[in-house]
Each structure stands twice: as C-alpha cells, then as structure tokens.
Amino acid sequence: MNVNESEELIACHECDALFKKRALPEHSSANCPRCGALLYRSIPRNLDRICATTLAALITFVIAQAFPIVELDANGITSQTTLIGAIVALWSEQMEIVAVLVFCATILFPLCELVALLYVLMPVRAGYVPPGFHLTLRAIQFVRPWGMIEVFMLGVLVTLVKMLSVARVIPEAALFAFGALTLMVAVVVSFDPRSLWDIAAQLPKRRARRPVATSVRQKS
Ligand SMILES: [Zn+2]
C-alpha cells in the first residue's frame, strides 16, 4: 500500500471498519454498510452560504447579549434584564455553579464555536489554510455539544408562559434575537467541520492549477 492509498482510507467511528474514501456527489453522504453510522458527507462546493450564516449568527449573538430579554410589569413595578444580568443575579443569590453552567452553555461555548468557525471558514474560502487550523477544528468539535442556546430559549419560553398569570410580560429585542439565533445555530450545527479538512487537503492542488497572478514586467 502506498502513501496516497492510505490517505484515502476512513474508519467507521462506531465499529472501526475501514473503507476507501471516494468522492461523493453533492448533498450526499456515505454510511457504514455494517452498522449504518454516518461515515462522511460530500464536500460542499460553495462555502459562501455557511460563511454568511455564521457571520449573521455572530452579529445576532451580540444583539441577543446586549439588549434585555423581557420586561416584567407586576403591580406597576417594572424590571428587565439581559442574559448577563440574569447570570450576575444567579451568582449573587449563591447559585454560583448554576451561574457558571448558564454562562458556559449560553455565552462562552456558542461564542467560541462561532468565532472559531469563522476563523477557519474565511481563510479556507479565500483559498489558504490559517495557522492552527487542525487545533481550531478539534476545538469546534469539543465545544459543539456544550452550546445549548436552543435549550435556553425553550426554558425562557416556558418561564414566560408561566409568568403571564402573575405579571405583564413585554418581549424585548433580545428575545427575538435569541429566537433568530436558535434557527441560525441549527443551520451552523448542520455543517460538518470535518469537510473543511477535505477542502483544506485539496487547496494546494487547486492553487497549483491556478496561473501565477504576479508577473515581472519587462521594461521596454
Ligand atoms: Zn460501522
């Protein structure tokens, strides 16, 4: 077996069966014939859509954190809070562990994933591999299961419905931003960062095929 052949192999994550990796038609995936687990998806030809969605998600994330989520009006006493404000309130109520968990699951990990994804997507889309490429992809795979914006959104909605009987609930900008963010994160999470590895592996070949842009002009 030569080096090129060994590079084309892929192991099933569930049953360790080894297969030869072949190019797939667009929007298709390869499954293990033994256990049915997903082996890999086809390489997306165009990264524009996922780049735009990730950037939009990052901007929406900033809006969701900067503005209040809801305003509560009970007997003329109004109060509103941002997500950070709610975490600070949890901390001051001696619920430090819950505060740290909420901070990590709704702010730190989703932010890390979006920033890291943009850090690798933008350069790969432009045609080069950024420094720390492999480490960043591994970091994305690590933080992805811990981002729980959709769980938070569900919790907020259930709480708001229950609060309706005791106070007037006025939705604020961040509530809509979190709603939009939940949908965008669902699109971002559907993108498999492992396909960037395949795209990055093809980059030197693609570059070699392109004509050299810089040329030396001869003085006449
Ligand atoms: Zn398998």
PDB file of all heavy atoms in Angstrom, residues 146-166:
ATOM      1  N   TRP A 146     -21.682  21.374  23.873  1.00  0.00           N
ATOM      2  CA  TRP A 146     -21.954  22.127  25.101  1.00  0.00           C
ATOM      3  C   TRP A 146     -22.706  23.425  24.847  1.00  0.00           C
ATOM      4  O   TRP A 146     -23.154  24.068  25.788  1.00  0.00           O
ATOM      5  CB  TRP A 146     -20.641  22.413  25.831  1.00  0.00           C
ATOM      6  CG  TRP A 146     -19.948  21.160  26.227  1.00  0.00           C
ATOM      7  CD1 TRP A 146     -18.916  20.556  25.576  1.00  0.00           C
ATOM      8  CD2 TRP A 146     -20.262  20.318  27.335  1.00  0.00           C
ATOM      9  NE1 TRP A 146     -18.563  19.391  26.205  1.00  0.00           N
ATOM     10  CE2 TRP A 146     -19.375  19.225  27.297  1.00  0.00           C
ATOM     11  CE3 TRP A 146     -21.212  20.376  28.357  1.00  0.00           C
ATOM     12  CZ2 TRP A 146     -19.423  18.201  28.232  1.00  0.00           C
ATOM     13  CZ3 TRP A 146     -21.241  19.364  29.296  1.00  0.00           C
ATOM     14  CH2 TRP A 146     -20.358  18.294  29.231  1.00  0.00           C
ATOM     15  N   GLY A 147     -22.827  23.847  23.615  1.00  0.00           N
ATOM     16  CA  GLY A 147     -23.599  25.047  23.295  1.00  0.00           C
ATOM     17  C   GLY A 147     -25.087  24.708  23.363  1.00  0.00           C
ATOM     18  O   GLY A 147     -25.543  23.819  22.655  1.00  0.00           O
ATOM     19  N   MET A 148     -25.830  25.378  24.238  1.00  0.00           N
ATOM     20  CA  MET A 148     -27.237  24.982  24.434  1.00  0.00           C
ATOM     21  C   MET A 148     -28.169  26.189  24.352  1.00  0.00           C
ATOM     22  O   MET A 148     -29.012  26.391  25.229  1.00  0.00           O
ATOM     23  CB  MET A 148     -27.387  24.292  25.789  1.00  0.00           C
ATOM     24  CG  MET A 148     -26.651  22.980  25.835  1.00  0.00           C
ATOM     25  SD  MET A 148     -26.828  22.160  27.382  1.00  0.00           S
ATOM     26  CE  MET A 148     -25.582  20.897  27.244  1.00  0.00           C
ATOM     27  N   ILE A 149     -28.026  26.982  23.301  1.00  0.00           N
ATOM     28  CA  ILE A 149     -28.875  28.161  23.139  1.00  0.00           C
ATOM     29  C   ILE A 149     -30.340  27.749  22.966  1.00  0.00           C
ATOM     30  O   ILE A 149     -31.244  28.381  23.518  1.00  0.00           O
ATOM     31  CB  ILE A 149     -28.373  29.018  21.963  1.00  0.00           C
ATOM     32  CG1 ILE A 149     -27.144  29.800  22.433  1.00  0.00           C
ATOM     33  CG2 ILE A 149     -29.447  29.981  21.454  1.00  0.00           C
ATOM     34  CD1 ILE A 149     -26.534  30.707  21.434  1.00  0.00           C
ATOM     35  N   GLU A 150     -30.574  26.645  22.220  1.00  0.00           N
ATOM     36  CA  GLU A 150     -31.959  26.220  21.967  1.00  0.00           C
ATOM     37  C   GLU A 150     -32.636  25.755  23.261  1.00  0.00           C
ATOM     38  O   GLU A 150     -33.823  25.992  23.479  1.00  0.00           O
ATOM     39  CB  GLU A 150     -32.018  25.148  20.868  1.00  0.00           C
ATOM     40  CG  GLU A 150     -31.315  23.840  21.128  1.00  0.00           C
ATOM     41  CD  GLU A 150     -29.796  23.899  20.988  1.00  0.00           C
ATOM     42  OE1 GLU A 150     -29.257  24.930  20.575  1.00  0.00           O
ATOM     43  OE2 GLU A 150     -29.153  22.883  21.325  1.00  0.00           O
ATOM     44  N   VAL A 151     -31.851  25.113  24.163  1.00  0.00           N
ATOM     45  CA  VAL A 151     -32.406  24.677  25.453  1.00  0.00           C
ATOM     46  C   VAL A 151     -32.774  25.898  26.290  1.00  0.00           C
ATOM     47  O   VAL A 151     -33.838  25.957  26.915  1.00  0.00           O
ATOM     48  CB  VAL A 151     -31.378  23.790  26.212  1.00  0.00           C
ATOM     49  CG1 VAL A 151     -31.939  23.350  27.558  1.00  0.00           C
ATOM     50  CG2 VAL A 151     -31.008  22.583  25.381  1.00  0.00           C
ATOM     51  N   PHE A 152     -31.870  26.903  26.257  1.00  0.00           N
ATOM     52  CA  PHE A 152     -32.114  28.155  26.983  1.00  0.00           C
ATOM     53  C   PHE A 152     -33.381  28.826  26.473  1.00  0.00           C
ATOM     54  O   PHE A 152     -34.230  29.275  27.247  1.00  0.00           O
ATOM     55  CB  PHE A 152     -30.896  29.080  26.815  1.00  0.00           C
ATOM     56  CG  PHE A 152     -31.141  30.491  27.256  1.00  0.00           C
ATOM     57  CD1 PHE A 152     -31.204  30.808  28.607  1.00  0.00           C
ATOM     58  CD2 PHE A 152     -31.328  31.500  26.331  1.00  0.00           C
ATOM     59  CE1 PHE A 152     -31.443  32.102  29.014  1.00  0.00           C
ATOM     60  CE2 PHE A 152     -31.572  32.792  26.729  1.00  0.00           C
ATOM     61  CZ  PHE A 152     -31.633  33.096  28.077  1.00  0.00           C
ATOM     62  N   MET A 153     -33.514  28.880  25.138  1.00  0.00           N
ATOM     63  CA  MET A 153     -34.679  29.522  24.500  1.00  0.00           C
ATOM     64  C   MET A 153     -35.975  28.840  24.941  1.00  0.00           C
ATOM     65  O   MET A 153     -36.967  29.498  25.254  1.00  0.00           O
ATOM     66  CB  MET A 153     -34.495  29.417  22.977  1.00  0.00           C
ATOM     67  CG  MET A 153     -35.472  30.219  22.166  1.00  0.00           C
ATOM     68  SD  MET A 153     -35.243  31.974  22.423  1.00  0.00           S
ATOM     69  CE  MET A 153     -36.883  32.562  22.116  1.00  0.00           C
ATOM     70  N   LEU A 154     -35.943  27.513  24.973  1.00  0.00           N
ATOM     71  CA  LEU A 154     -37.112  26.733  25.397  1.00  0.00           C
ATOM     72  C   LEU A 154     -37.453  27.038  26.858  1.00  0.00           C
ATOM     73  O   LEU A 154     -38.626  27.235  27.207  1.00  0.00           O
ATOM     74  CB  LEU A 154     -36.787  25.236  25.233  1.00  0.00           C
ATOM     75  CG  LEU A 154     -37.924  24.315  24.847  1.00  0.00           C
ATOM     76  CD1 LEU A 154     -38.489  24.704  23.498  1.00  0.00           C
ATOM     77  CD2 LEU A 154     -37.457  22.871  24.844  1.00  0.00           C
ATOM     78  N   GLY A 155     -36.410  27.122  27.696  1.00  0.00           N
ATOM     79  CA  GLY A 155     -36.591  27.437  29.119  1.00  0.00           C
ATOM     80  C   GLY A 155     -37.218  28.810  29.308  1.00  0.00           C
ATOM     81  O   GLY A 155     -38.135  28.984  30.123  1.00  0.00           O
ATOM     82  N   VAL A 156     -36.718  29.800  28.524  1.00  0.00           N
ATOM     83  CA  VAL A 156     -37.242  31.171  28.614  1.00  0.00           C
ATOM     84  C   VAL A 156     -38.723  31.186  28.226  1.00  0.00           C
ATOM     85  O   VAL A 156     -39.547  31.791  28.918  1.00  0.00           O
ATOM     86  CB  VAL A 156     -36.425  32.124  27.707  1.00  0.00           C
ATOM     87  CG1 VAL A 156     -37.120  33.460  27.556  1.00  0.00           C
ATOM     88  CG2 VAL A 156     -35.034  32.343  28.280  1.00  0.00           C
ATOM     89  N   LEU A 157     -39.079  30.488  27.142  1.00  0.00           N
ATOM     90  CA  LEU A 157     -40.470  30.487  26.665  1.00  0.00           C
ATOM     91  C   LEU A 157     -41.415  29.855  27.700  1.00  0.00           C
ATOM     92  O   LEU A 157     -42.480  30.391  27.976  1.00  0.00           O
ATOM     93  CB  LEU A 157     -40.578  29.750  25.324  1.00  0.00           C
ATOM     94  CG  LEU A 157     -39.966  30.486  24.128  1.00  0.00           C
ATOM     95  CD1 LEU A 157     -40.082  29.651  22.873  1.00  0.00           C
ATOM     96  CD2 LEU A 157     -40.639  31.844  23.925  1.00  0.00           C
ATOM     97  N   VAL A 158     -40.975  28.732  28.292  1.00  0.00           N
ATOM     98  CA  VAL A 158     -41.805  28.058  29.308  1.00  0.00           C
ATOM     99  C   VAL A 158     -42.004  28.991  30.508  1.00  0.00           C
ATOM    100  O   VAL A 158     -43.120  29.155  31.018  1.00  0.00           O
ATOM    101  CB  VAL A 158     -41.149  26.722  29.745  1.00  0.00           C
ATOM    102  CG1 VAL A 158     -41.866  26.140  30.955  1.00  0.00           C
ATOM    103  CG2 VAL A 158     -41.160  25.723  28.596  1.00  0.00           C
ATOM    104  N   THR A 159     -40.900  29.667  30.934  1.00  0.00           N
ATOM    105  CA  THR A 159     -40.978  30.585  32.077  1.00  0.00           C
ATOM    106  C   THR A 159     -41.917  31.742  31.778  1.00  0.00           C
ATOM    107  O   THR A 159     -42.724  32.132  32.627  1.00  0.00           O
ATOM    108  CB  THR A 159     -39.567  31.127  32.405  1.00  0.00           C
ATOM    109  OG1 THR A 159     -38.662  30.031  32.448  1.00  0.00           O
ATOM    110  CG2 THR A 159     -39.545  31.843  33.735  1.00  0.00           C
ATOM    111  N   LEU A 160     -41.828  32.297  30.560  1.00  0.00           N
ATOM    112  CA  LEU A 160     -42.661  33.444  30.191  1.00  0.00           C
ATOM    113  C   LEU A 160     -44.141  33.080  30.226  1.00  0.00           C
ATOM    114  O   LEU A 160     -44.965  33.836  30.724  1.00  0.00           O
ATOM    115  CB  LEU A 160     -42.280  33.956  28.797  1.00  0.00           C
ATOM    116  CG  LEU A 160     -40.941  34.682  28.701  1.00  0.00           C
ATOM    117  CD1 LEU A 160     -40.750  35.263  27.313  1.00  0.00           C
ATOM    118  CD2 LEU A 160     -40.850  35.798  29.729  1.00  0.00           C
ATOM    119  N   VAL A 161     -44.468  31.891  29.707  1.00  0.00           N
ATOM    120  CA  VAL A 161     -45.869  31.448  29.706  1.00  0.00           C
ATOM    121  C   VAL A 161     -46.379  31.332  31.148  1.00  0.00           C
ATOM    122  O   VAL A 161     -47.493  31.742  31.474  1.00  0.00           O
ATOM    123  CB  VAL A 161     -46.006  30.104  28.946  1.00  0.00           C
ATOM    124  CG1 VAL A 161     -47.388  29.511  29.140  1.00  0.00           C
ATOM    125  CG2 VAL A 161     -45.723  30.318  27.459  1.00  0.00           C
ATOM    126  N   LYS A 162     -45.527  30.819  32.054  1.00  0.00           N
ATOM    127  CA  LYS A 162     -45.925  30.680  33.459  1.00  0.00           C
ATOM    128  C   LYS A 162     -46.047  32.042  34.135  1.00  0.00           C
ATOM    129  O   LYS A 162     -46.885  32.227  35.023  1.00  0.00           O
ATOM    130  CB  LYS A 162     -44.898  29.813  34.203  1.00  0.00           C
ATOM    131  CG  LYS A 162     -44.996  28.353  33.822  1.00  0.00           C
ATOM    132  CD  LYS A 162     -44.219  27.482  34.769  1.00  0.00           C
ATOM    133  CE  LYS A 162     -44.572  26.022  34.573  1.00  0.00           C
ATOM    134  NZ  LYS A 162     -43.881  25.149  35.510  1.00  0.00           N
ATOM    135  N   MET A 163     -45.199  33.001  33.719  1.00  0.00           N
ATOM    136  CA  MET A 163     -45.204  34.333  34.345  1.00  0.00           C
ATOM    137  C   MET A 163     -46.422  35.159  33.938  1.00  0.00           C
ATOM    138  O   MET A 163     -46.756  36.128  34.607  1.00  0.00           O
ATOM    139  CB  MET A 163     -43.925  35.109  33.941  1.00  0.00           C
ATOM    140  CG  MET A 163     -42.639  34.569  34.515  1.00  0.00           C
ATOM    141  SD  MET A 163     -42.536  34.742  36.285  1.00  0.00           S
ATOM    142  CE  MET A 163     -42.133  36.459  36.428  1.00  0.00           C
ATOM    143  N   LEU A 164     -47.066  34.776  32.831  1.00  0.00           N
ATOM    144  CA  LEU A 164     -48.181  35.565  32.298  1.00  0.00           C
ATOM    145  C   LEU A 164     -49.307  35.740  33.321  1.00  0.00           C
ATOM    146  O   LEU A 164     -50.017  36.731  33.313  1.00  0.00           O
ATOM    147  CB  LEU A 164     -48.730  34.907  31.025  1.00  0.00           C
ATOM    148  CG  LEU A 164     -47.937  35.195  29.738  1.00  0.00           C
ATOM    149  CD1 LEU A 164     -48.495  34.383  28.592  1.00  0.00           C
ATOM    150  CD2 LEU A 164     -47.958  36.681  29.395  1.00  0.00           C
ATOM    151  N   SER A 165     -49.449  34.755  34.233  1.00  0.00           N
ATOM    152  CA  SER A 165     -50.540  34.814  35.210  1.00  0.00           C
ATOM    153  C   SER A 165     -50.235  35.787  36.350  1.00  0.00           C
ATOM    154  O   SER A 165     -51.156  36.249  37.025  1.00  0.00           O
ATOM    155  CB  SER A 165     -50.824  33.420  35.761  1.00  0.00           C
ATOM    156  OG  SER A 165     -49.636  32.897  36.301  1.00  0.00           O
ATOM    157  N   VAL A 166     -48.953  36.090  36.590  1.00  0.00           N
ATOM    158  CA  VAL A 166     -48.618  36.958  37.736  1.00  0.00           C
ATOM    159  C   VAL A 166     -48.121  38.345  37.316  1.00  0.00           C
ATOM    160  O   VAL A 166     -48.098  39.258  38.132  1.00  0.00           O
ATOM    161  CB  VAL A 166     -47.556  36.285  38.644  1.00  0.00           C
ATOM    162  CG1 VAL A 166     -48.146  35.106  39.379  1.00  0.00           C
ATOM    163  CG2 VAL A 166     -46.323  35.881  37.857  1.00  0.00           C
TER     164      VAL A 166
END
